[in-house]
Amino acid sequence: MLPCITKKIIGIDCPGCGLQRSFISILNGDFATAFTTYPPIYTILLLLSFLIFQNFIKIKYANKIILTLTLTTVVIIVTNYILKFI
């Protein structure tokens, strides 16, 4: 797996640390480990899936859905990052 440049240079985890391991866990079918490794993985995948799906089928409130999913993902990422240091 790719090393985290931030962790190598500064010595602390970045907000995305665990994303690769979490994604690999999903590919292996280990969904619980994926969540415990990096909780925002599911909202990120949901957002990416919606963005791809929205390119093929126009959805009436797509902008609001994208904004909501993005804000939810950001809040979960920031919360997860803060909880790493507590």
Side-chain angles (χ1 to χ4, degrees), residues 3-14 17:
C4 178
I5 302 297
T6 306
K7 191 168 186 173
K8 255 187 174 178
I9 294 172
I10 300 174
I12 59 172
D13 288 348
C14 71
C17 279

Side-chain angles (χ1 to χ4, degrees), residues 44-86:
I44 290 171
L45 290 176
L46 183 61
L47 176 61
L48 291 175
S49 299
F50 184 78
L51 289 171
I52 292 168
F53 182 73
Q54 195 257 341
N55 283 330
F56 298 107
I57 298 172
K58 297 300 174 194
I59 299 171
K60 188 174 182 180
Y61 297 107
N63 290 336
K64 289 182 180 183
I65 294 170
I66 291 169
L67 180 64
T68 302
L69 286 172
T70 303
L71 290 175
T72 303
T73 301
V74 169
V75 167
I76 294 172
I77 289 171
V78 171
T79 303
N80 181 51
Y81 189 63
I82 291 169
L83 289 176
K84 281 184 180 181
F85 294 110
I86 294 177

